[in-house]
Amino acid sequence: MSCIDCGDAVMKEAREIVEKIGSEPEKVIPLLQEIQNRHGYLSQDLVEAVAEVVEIPVSRLYGVATFYSQFRFTPMGKNLVKICKGTACHVGGAEKVYSIITEELGVGEGGTTADGLFTVEAVACLGCCSLAPVVMINDNIYGKISPAKMGKILKEYADGK
Amino acid sequence: MENSGRIIVGMGSCGIAAGAKAVYQQLEKADLGIPLGLTSCVGMCFAEPIVEVESLSGRIMYGNVDAAFADKLIESLKTGTENLPAENRIKESSDGKKYLDRQVKIALKNCGVIDPENIDEYIAAGGYDAIKKCIESMKPDEVIETVKESGLRGRGGAGFTTGIKWSFLAGAKGDPKYLVCNADEGDPGAFMDRAVLEGDPHSVIEGMLVAAYSTGASLGYVYCRAEYPLAIKRLIKAIADAEERNLMGDNILGTEFSFHLKVKEGAGAFVCGEETALMASIEGRRGMPALRPPFPAEAGIKGKPTNINNVETYANVPFIIREGPSSFNKYSYGSSVGTKVFALAGKIKRVGLVEVPMGISIREIIEEIGGGSATGNPIKAVQLGGPAGGCIPESLFDTPIDYDSINATGAIMGSGGMVVMDDQTCMVDVARYFLNFTQKESCGKCTFCRIGTKRMLEILTRITDGKGVENDISLLEELAGHIKKTSLCGLGQLAPNPVLTTLKYFRDEYEAHIVDKKCPAGVCKPLITFTVNPENCVGCTACAKACPTKCISGERKEVHFIDPEKCVKCGICRDTCKFDAIDVE
């Protein structure tokens, strides 16, 4: 098992990651989380390099990664838009907010805009049910979203907030 | 505290989302020379952002603090705390009083009162007294007896008696023994555990310490979902602070007792709320449930004895030890004792987090504490227990909060999500919503859970699309029975509940969709049309401006018209109209 396409820089980063997180079997998820924290997604060469450093099959890392919804396998846009689809948001009109966002940005769930500015995700619940419907952009939560308000917020981010 | 007092801003996730950070910065910038502190969610989400002013005469809580009111507050504070504004005093308002009067705070005692990032404030509120009491004056089995006597049952949903669970671990052979706190609060519509972790992380840590002391566990994990970054951050800080005070780690308080606690971040899988799946995830595997027995107490993490409780369960423990079991079980109804935290959300006036004694009725929670309908439309049902739970109709709102009484309705107590629905909520759509959720989250291990939920979702989608056929209802019931019987874990066994309860109580809505091809609540798009009611329309043009497809035409002050060809049935016109002039049929 070796990572044929991995350059020295990738191997170096993989070793850094493993040194920081550890290489015990129970560290598989934290290792994947660290890769995603650094790059916004699980890049194939880095996953392969980490597998090589830890000396486990790549398939095991991917087996775990594909089970959990947190992990992404394609690069993420500059801003991550998470649309809450929890019960309270659903009852409060999350579908309307969802259609505004997907219409405005021209991409569906899981998609990234062509200009690389936005990635759209739907999440089950952000736990801010009192403010339904809720949208989270990067680390900021926006509550009581109306379609008009949503358009304004997206524009702010597009203009480089 | 100095004479000048202190200003405290509520900085829970929802407070911040409502604008608390901006208010904090505004107060900081005003440079009043008064110490500025923070606390977490006090549960009154309907009044966020919240600012409290503490002075010698007590604490005054201000709700709905926007920029303008913050300016007013700053102005008055410049002359001391004598002339504080009289308005927006949330605890003294009738809203605040009604909201708080019926509540009993045990698990949430410190939430919204102390600074969760400051261990000294927790200690000043009696914190860590419980573990000290255990170490100094109680034998491990006495601690377990006390917890048994309190009658505390697991607050995660299943309601197993906590003391008995602990005695299994204490009696198990194996080393090391593990403790797990299940903070993978995945039910959409529930945010109790987030509030406790953000608002009072030390109470959970102390509850785990007591459990560790009484069971002989030496290693512990808090498994917290990644969607709660603030909770994780505060928990990690709280553990570090406890370690610094020798309340965690090796030789706690100079004794032989040692306990180490780590935070494990979940990666987004609802099924990991199930204990065997959760342990697989902690071990770094796919979170697939396993057959029980063996139960975790015999063979849990890495094959070692393990005990798992949820956040709220642990948070109740310090109170029980400190104040004695009778101070807890004096609140009781049937076999349910103590209090239960609910996340009140949906179409209700006062949204928030409430802690109520067992035995209070659903009606009292919704009408007295929650203030009834937010929209003025009649409340039709309440959803309890998330995707594993069910919808309880208004006619059964006198059901008391008690594990057995709630189970009898077909719903479950669950972890405490309570989502209120009015007559504009379609129950078939709600059932479809939950099935869509469980179907996506099924891990795929059991055939009926994997494929059966998919078939049920297809049928429900067909019904909401207006393409339902006559025997769809009996097909749903048949599938539901098979899924319940043949699934390994709670996810599958309980997945049909939302469908079965809505079929039981709202069968007429299903029939209206299938037979009459109508959606009585006006939600399912293929079954509805939007028209302008000429009697109510005043021609204000608000709907035409708001319409995203510009399908509404009409002159100012004249009745408007919706072009059915272009209308996408988004309902924005109905939400915008102030004159009740948009009809949906």
Side-chain angles (χ1 to χ4, degrees):
Chain A
M1 175 183 62
S2 74
C3 180
I4 310 157
D5 305 326
C6 298
D8 288 346
V10 175
M11 286 308 293
K12 184 169 167 273
E13 189 176 3
R15 275 190 286 271
E16 262 172 42
I17 290 173
V18 176
E19 187 153 320
K20 181 179 169 197
I21 306 294
S23 57
E24 304 90 321
E26 65 182 73
K27 294 288 165 60
V28 167
I29 294 172
L31 283 170
L32 293 167
Q33 284 169 331
E34 179 67 17
I35 298 174
Q36 182 150 307
N37 282 344
R38 287 167 173 238
H39 298 278
Y41 77 111
L42 301 179
S43 69
Q44 194 181 336
D45 48 357
L46 196 49
V47 173
E48 286 178 12
V50 166
E52 188 168 318
V53 175
V54 188
E55 295 180 351
I56 58 169
V58 185
S59 61
R60 196 166 118 63
L61 283 185
Y62 273 110
V64 172
T66 51
F67 185 83
Y68 296 97
S69 61
Q70 183 188 27
F71 298 113
R72 271 184 297 271
F73 303 94
T74 48
M76 195 181 72
K78 189 168 163 243
N79 301 295
L80 178 61
V81 182
K82 288 185 179 174
I83 308 165
C84 182
K85 286 194 165 182
T87 322
C89 288
H90 179 77
V91 174
E95 282 303 320
K96 274 176 220 169
V97 175
Y98 182 78
S99 41
I100 292 287
I101 290 176
T102 50
E103 230 164 75
E104 196 107 338
L105 299 179
V107 288
E109 195 176 325
T112 300
T113 52
D115 56 11
L117 272 179
F118 294 98
T119 293
V120 178
E121 277 181 10
V123 293
C125 188
L126 291 168
C128 294
C129 311
S130 54
L131 298 167
V134 176
V135 169
M136 187 167 170
I137 303 182
N138 305 331
D139 283 333
N140 302 312
I141 291 176
Y142 298 91
K144 296 184 182 162
I145 293 287
S146 65
K149 200 166 150 191
M150 196 63 244
K152 250 184 241 162
I153 295 168
L154 286 177
K155 197 169 176 311
E156 272 176 30
Y157 280 89
D159 293 346
K161 181 179 171 174
Chain B
M1 189 202 335
E2 297 170 19
N3 273 356
S4 52
R6 202 161 64 118
I7 306 169
I8 306 152
V9 183
M11 300 270 260
S13 278
C14 31
I16 292 171
K21 226 178 224 169
V23 171
Y24 189 90
Q25 283 160 357
Q26 205 177 340
L27 286 161
E28 207 170 28
K29 221 169 129 193
D31 198 18
L32 293 161
I34 305 171
L36 198 55
L38 65 91
T39 185
S40 193
C41 175
V42 71
M44 291 199 262
C45 306
F46 65 91
E48 297 281 5
I50 292 172
V51 174
E52 260 192 296
V53 179
E54 188 179 71
S55 67
L56 283 180
S57 48
R59 286 168 83 147
I60 299 170
M61 190 182 277
Y62 291 99
N64 303 107
V65 180
D66 54 11
F69 187 78
D71 272 336
K72 199 170 175 181
L73 199 59
I74 289 166
E75 267 319 299
S76 74
L77 280 164
K78 282 181 181 161
T79 59
T81 52
E82 310 293 310
N83 306 306
L84 289 170
E87 62 271 42
N88 288 33
R89 294 189 177 196
I90 188 70
K91 275 188 172 167
E92 294 154 42
S93 70
S94 87
D95 263 356
K97 275 189 189 147
K98 282 181 193 150
Y99 190 74
L100 293 170
D101 269 0
R102 300 294 305 271
Q103 295 196 50
V104 174
K105 302 228 176 181
I106 293 177
L108 299 180
K109 188 176 139 287
N110 289 328
C111 289
V113 180
I114 65 166
D115 176 354
E117 298 186 14
N118 185 343
I119 189 170
D120 286 319
E121 291 202 18
Y122 179 69
I123 292 173
Y128 291 107
D129 280 356
I131 186 62
K132 281 180 195 153
K133 185 175 170 184
C134 290
I135 291 176
E136 284 163 12
S137 65
M138 293 171 87
K139 292 203 181 81
D141 52 348
E142 281 177 76
V143 177
I144 292 182
E145 278 313 309
T146 307
V147 176
K148 268 190 203 166
E149 200 186 323
S150 75
L152 175 65
R153 290 167 69 172
R155 297 293 193 241
F160 194 80
T161 307
T162 307
I164 294 179
K165 209 171 183 179
W166 289 12
S167 68
F168 293 154
L169 185 68
K173 288 195 176 65
D175 186 59
K177 289 179 185 173
Y178 288 93
L179 273 190
V180 177
C181 174
N182 184 349
D184 192 42
E185 185 174 53
D187 281 8
F191 53 95
M192 301 75 54
D193 294 348
R194 176 180 64 75
V196 173
L197 290 172
E198 282 180 6
D200 196 13
H202 286 286
S203 70
V204 181
I205 294 172
E206 192 180 3
M208 291 188 80
L209 280 170
V210 172
Y213 174 79
S214 66
T215 58
S218 56
L219 294 169
Y221 293 104
V222 180
Y223 186 89
C224 187
R225 70 195 289 245
E227 286 88 341
Y228 291 171
L230 186 61
I232 292 172
K233 184 186 136 211
R234 289 189 177 158
L235 198 55
I236 290 173
K237 180 173 190 323
I239 293 171
D241 289 348
E243 279 168 351
E244 202 171 283
R245 303 288 173 98
N246 193 219
L247 291 159
M248 175 72 72
D250 288 322
N251 302 103
I252 292 168
L253 298 170
T255 64
E256 292 287 291
F257 170 49
S258 300
F259 182 65
H260 295 265
L261 187 59
K262 279 186 202 158
V263 177
K264 276 268 175 185
E265 214 175 295
F270 176 69
V271 72
C272 287
E274 200 278 339
E275 57 184 20
T276 55
L278 187 151
M279 291 189 301
S281 182
I282 286 179
E283 291 173 12
R285 294 184 283 125
R286 290 163 72 91
M288 308 273 256
L291 195 67
R292 291 175 303 182
F295 286 92
E298 300 159 53
I301 294 176
K302 298 176 188 167
K304 301 292 180 189
T306 303
N307 174 72
I308 303 175
N309 287 122
N310 96 323
V311 172
E312 195 188 331
T313 316
Y314 283 124
N316 273 308
V317 170
F319 175 87
I320 291 168
I321 300 293
R322 210 170 48 233
E323 314 281 333
S326 55
S327 57
F328 185 76
N329 61 22
K330 71 178 179 196
Y331 307 103
S332 77
Y333 185 95
S335 62
S336 307
V337 297
T339 58
K340 178 76 195 87
V341 181
F342 287 100
L344 209 50
K347 308 274 185 82
I348 190 158
K349 195 170 157 211
R350 290 189 284 271
V351 180
L353 204 66
V354 300
E355 184 169 0
V356 290
M358 294 290 181
I360 192 172
S361 72
I362 295 174
R363 192 180 303 283
E364 285 169 297
I365 297 178
I366 290 175
E367 287 175 8
E368 290 178 26
I369 297 176
S373 171
T375 51
N377 300 324
I379 289 174
K380 178 158 83 176
V382 62
Q383 210 285 340
L384 268 188
C391 292
I392 299 178
E394 195 272 339
S395 58
L396 292 178
F397 276 8
D398 291 317
T399 307
I401 295 300
D402 152 52
Y403 289 94
D404 304 328
S405 309
I406 293 196
N407 286 347
T409 66
I412 59 165
M413 181 89 95
S415 54
M418 201 181 246
V419 182
V420 176
M421 295 161 178
D422 67 8
D423 66 349
Q424 290 189 5
T425 313
C426 169
M427 301 316 275
V428 188
D429 175 64
V430 167
R432 191 187 62 88
Y433 164 79
F434 280 116
L435 244 291
N436 182 40
F437 179 83
T438 32
Q439 184 268 134
K440 272 192 194 147
E441 294 292 341
S442 169
C443 79
K445 186 167 184 163
C446 307
T447 314
F448 269 93
C449 178
R450 183 180 69 241
I451 302 172
T453 54
K454 181 104 182 153
R455 293 290 94 84
M456 282 182 82
L457 176 64
E458 283 166 3
I459 298 169
L460 289 164
T461 305
R462 177 159 87 210
I463 297 174
T464 53
D465 278 348
K467 294 171 187 155
V469 292
E470 210 190 317
N471 69 344
D472 273 350
I473 291 179
S474 54
L475 200 55
L476 281 174
E477 285 171 330
E478 190 190 335
L479 278 167
H482 291 317
I483 295 169
K484 272 170 128 23
K485 266 185 232 148
T486 59
S487 297
L488 184 62
C489 82
L491 189 147
Q493 287 161 8
L494 304 173
N497 276 358
V499 180
L500 291 175
T501 51
T502 47
L503 270 175
K504 186 170 169 189
Y505 300 117
F506 300 97
R507 205 178 189 91
D508 54 332
E509 287 195 29
Y510 281 84
E511 284 162 356
H513 283 75
I514 296 169
V515 182
D516 310 331
K517 307 290 174 206
K518 281 198 155 61
C519 176
V523 172
C524 300
K525 285 183 190 177
L527 300 175
I528 52 173
T529 44
F530 285 80
T531 49
V532 176
N533 180 330
E535 302 207 338
N536 290 358
C537 180
V538 298
C540 71
T541 73
C543 59
K545 279 185 200 138
C547 177
T549 59
K550 303 287 164 220
C551 74
I552 306 178
S553 53
E555 294 298 313
R556 176 170 281 280
K557 294 192 176 167
E558 274 172 36
V559 174
H560 281 47
F561 171 74
I562 299 175
D563 181 352
E565 296 284 305
K566 281 201 236 159
C567 176
V568 292
K569 301 169 185 177
C570 65
I572 291 171
C573 53
R574 178 166 67 167
D575 297 343
T576 312
C577 182
K578 292 193 172 74
F579 303 95
D580 197 19
I582 307 288
D583 287 344
V584 185
E585 219 173 278

